[in-house]
Amino acid sequence: MSGIMYRPGLNDLEAVLAIARRGSFRAAAVDLGMSTTALSNAIGKLEKELGVRLFNRTTRSVSLTDAGRLFVDQIGPPLQDIRDAMNGVRSQQAMPSGTLRINTFATAAREILSPLVFEFLRRHPQVHVDLVTEGRLVDIVAEGFDLGVRSADLVPTDMIAIPLGRPQRYAVVGSPGYFDVHDRPRVPPDLLSHKCIRVRLPNGALYRWAFRKGDQSAQIDVDGPITLDEASLARTAVLGGIGLGFFIEANVRAEIEAGTLIRVLEDWTPPLAPLALYYPGRRNPSAALKTFIGMARSFGQKAAS
């Protein structure tokens, strides 16, 4: 063979894992910080070297071939060992640096962004934080994240969890204009006679509003003029007087305090689990990860006091 022999590098193998994880060249390219064309060319070169196709590609989907699935299963564990070894070296650094990837949902991101993430970045300018928000609960290890933030009751049992403050609550709210022409609901079934903002979950199902008071509980399948799938849009609809909304309290706390939204059924929305930061028990976490975890512990203790 003439010319220089092609030798796949770690970045090529990480690219294969990213595509397998995301099921999309475009999404994997975003994760890897490269163009879709460059990623496609890299995979094409690797497949040519291996002599097999790793992915079935159509205009709508990407899936592993049988050979690709075997390849991913075999390279995954040693690549994780290499990442751990690199983190072990980084853990010896005096100054945190590198990238921290955090997975959470939008409401939690708003809760921790300014008091925790921004403060961390101000103290450690050599660290880059890649924060991804999504409604679904993901396997943070399998999908390449260092940390996750979810309600404490959703944290997997094999993860180390750090409470990030006081328990959360839900809130049912409406605009003053709405209540000028509608009576305030006193018990959850009263909602059946109200216009409500319906919410669609990431899996496509419509969310049923859940309530509890003492030993009584209720789930109400509300009805209304509009269905939305994003909390900020639902809040805009409620502020516009379209109907009542059901939110995590943090999403509407400022509006309740300002009087632009009125809270009802408060005695039917007891405290829930607090937010928690969680991560796998790695033997050699990077200096950036150790420092962020330390700040999160202090933040959680202050927020709970």
Side-chain angles (χ1 to χ4, degrees):
M1 178 182 293
S2 61
I4 299 173
M5 180 179 295
Y6 168 68
R7 296 182 183 279
L10 285 176
N11 289 341
D12 298 313
L13 302 182
E14 291 284 10
V16 172
L17 294 184
I19 299 166
R21 180 173 67 242
R22 299 286 273 165
S24 162
F25 272 73
R26 184 184 299 274
V30 171
D31 286 353
L32 296 167
M34 61 192 302
S35 71
T36 306
T37 299
L39 178 59
S40 181
N41 289 340
I43 295 301
K45 188 179 292 185
L46 177 60
E47 288 177 327
K48 183 177 180 180
E49 171 65 21
L50 295 174
V52 295
R53 294 189 68 82
L54 299 174
F55 297 98
N56 295 310
R57 305 171 179 84
T58 70
T59 56
R60 295 186 178 182
S61 65
V62 175
S63 62
L64 286 165
T65 63
D66 288 342
R69 192 171 295 106
L70 177 63
F71 189 64
V72 165
D73 288 344
Q74 290 181 331
I75 68 173
L79 276 178
Q80 185 60 54
D81 289 341
I82 292 172
R83 293 188 203 106
D84 289 342
M86 294 174 69
N87 285 335
V89 173
R90 293 191 184 107
S91 69
Q92 306 303 312
Q93 294 174 330
M95 180 180 295
S97 63
T99 297
L100 284 180
R101 300 194 71 225
I102 305 173
N103 183 277
T104 183
F105 61 105
T107 298
R110 284 189 287 270
E111 285 283 281
I112 68 169
L113 203 58
S114 180
L116 179 57
V117 177
F118 289 171
E119 181 61 25
F120 175 80
L121 292 173
R122 280 190 286 267
R123 296 185 191 181
H124 306 287
Q126 300 301 314
V127 180
H128 175 87
V129 171
D130 181 4
L131 192 150
V132 176
T133 63
E134 52 190 321
R136 67 190 182 100
L137 185 64
V138 306
D139 181 336
I140 62 170
V141 175
E143 302 211 13
F145 292 97
D146 299 292
L147 302 153
V149 179
R150 296 284 162 173
S151 295
D153 56 348
L154 295 178
V155 174
T157 56
D158 60 343
M159 294 285 167
I160 299 171
I162 301 171
L164 290 180
R166 297 174 181 174
Q168 302 178 91
R169 294 184 69 183
Y170 284 112
V172 180
V173 293
S175 69
Y178 179 88
F179 287 120
D180 284 343
V181 294
H182 297 88
D183 293 332
R184 299 188 186 192
R186 299 185 181 280
V187 293
D190 290 347
L191 294 169
L192 296 173
S193 61
H194 280 267
K195 296 178 181 179
C196 297
I197 310 303
R198 308 189 81 184
V199 175
R200 190 175 301 281
L201 298 171
N203 64 5
L206 290 171
Y207 183 70
R208 301 178 70 189
W209 297 10
F211 299 93
R212 191 174 78 249
K213 183 178 181 180
D215 59 358
Q216 302 178 73
S217 62
Q219 285 196 334
I220 308 299
D221 189 6
V222 298
D223 199 5
I226 190 169
T227 300
L228 298 168
D229 63 358
E230 211 283 323
S232 64
L233 297 177
R235 185 172 63 250
T236 299
V238 176
L239 286 166
I242 301 300
L244 301 181
F246 189 79
F247 301 94
I248 294 177
E249 183 183 49
N251 280 342
V252 290
R253 186 181 294 125
E255 289 82 358
I256 294 172
E257 292 174 352
T260 54
L261 289 178
I262 296 172
R263 187 173 191 169
V264 295
L265 297 173
E266 186 169 358
D267 56 337
W268 281 90
T269 54
L272 304 170
L275 292 176
L277 180 87
Y278 64 98
Y279 58 97
R282 292 174 177 163
R283 290 170 293 178
N284 295 304
S286 68
L289 181 56
K290 286 194 295 186
T291 304
F292 190 88
I293 290 170
M295 284 189 61
R297 290 187 189 278
S298 296
F299 169 76
Q301 291 166 358
K302 291 177 181 177
S305 61

